[in-house]
Amino acid sequence: LLPVSVRDRLDKSLRTPAVAAHERQSEYLFSLIAEAADYLITRYEAQVLFVPFWPGRDEEQAAAVVAKMRNRSATHILRGEQPARVLRALLGEMDAVLAMRLHALILSAASGVPVLGFSYARKVSGFLAAVGQGDRDFDPANLDWVRLKRALDTLWAERDAIRHTLLERVATLQAAAGEDRAVAARLLGPAGGGG
């Protein structure tokens, strides 16, 4: 009982204006994502799958989004922890991926799946720019439905061109990573052999 009591007490004492603002911003983003999911279902007959990358937490957030949706029957939440190879295979079969998690964007782009990212950190923006998708990078704090809807329509209409760009850019990044591995192997080679 002690941890519950401490947490309850801490939760109440940590209710600062910044925390309240973050909660409002999260609710607004969840509403936008719910609207986007409903739009994709009605406009493009999409099936929506929420794929958690942080089991437990992401599932709760997905459930909060689904609770705001009108078309819940065309929506599913993947539950439980999944191996990376399963996540990559699953995301690789999507028509498009909307994600906040960097690893979801990486796995999707590696398979040429068109992506739209909600950048909570520079690493997300940096990755989207590196794969030629900088115009599909949205700051959740400055997003509105008009911009998001326009981005969804463009993403859907340009899927084939986006897929080509992603595969091209990912191949370039993979080649660069291969060069980095070769340099690291030389530097970390047998004692006395690398200088």
Side-chain angles (χ1 to χ4, degrees):
L1 294 176
L2 182 60
V4 172
S5 176
V6 169
R7 181 176 174 193
D8 186 48
R9 194 173 269 174
L10 281 175
D11 284 349
K12 289 175 183 163
S13 69
L14 294 176
R15 297 263 329 136
T16 64
V19 169
H22 175 73
E23 288 174 354
R24 283 192 304 276
Q25 186 179 9
S26 293
E27 283 300 310
Y28 177 69
L29 180 60
F30 290 174
S31 294
L32 281 177
I33 293 171
E35 188 71 25
D38 278 327
Y39 180 73
L40 290 169
I41 291 165
T42 57
R43 176 76 171 93
Y44 299 108
E45 299 179 359
Q47 292 284 317
V48 174
L49 175 64
F50 288 88
V51 180
F53 272 68
W54 183 345
R57 181 177 180 181
D58 287 356
E59 293 165 358
E60 286 177 22
Q61 293 176 339
V65 171
V66 172
K68 296 176 179 292
M69 292 178 59
R70 295 179 308 276
N71 298 299
R72 294 183 190 130
S73 63
T75 304
H76 307 282
I77 300 172
L78 185 64
R79 303 229 179 243
E81 190 168 348
Q82 304 298 322
R85 62 181 163 65
V86 170
L87 293 172
R88 181 173 182 169
L90 183 63
L91 292 172
E93 293 298 317
M94 301 294 163
D95 291 312
V97 171
L98 282 62
M100 185 171 268
R101 299 271 183 224
L102 176 61
H103 289 94
L105 294 168
I106 291 170
L107 294 177
S108 301
S111 296
V113 175
V115 294
L116 188 151
F118 301 105
S119 57
Y120 64 94
R122 280 184 283 200
K123 62 185 178 181
V124 172
S125 299
F127 175 74
L128 289 169
V131 294
Q133 303 303 302
D135 58 338
R136 289 174 179 68
D137 171 25
F138 294 95
D139 176 356
N142 299 313
L143 186 59
D144 60 54
W145 173 241
V146 173
R147 286 182 56 222
L148 182 54
K149 180 181 177 294
R150 187 178 318 124
L152 292 171
D153 288 333
T154 302
L155 181 75
W156 201 265
E158 298 176 0
R159 287 188 324 255
D160 291 337
I162 294 167
R163 185 177 309 276
H164 179 73
T165 299
L166 284 171
L167 291 173
E168 210 171 72
R169 293 291 182 102
V170 167
T172 301
L173 291 174
Q174 287 173 332
E179 292 172 15
D180 290 346
R181 280 192 302 273
V183 169
R186 282 195 309 276
L187 292 172
L188 299 171

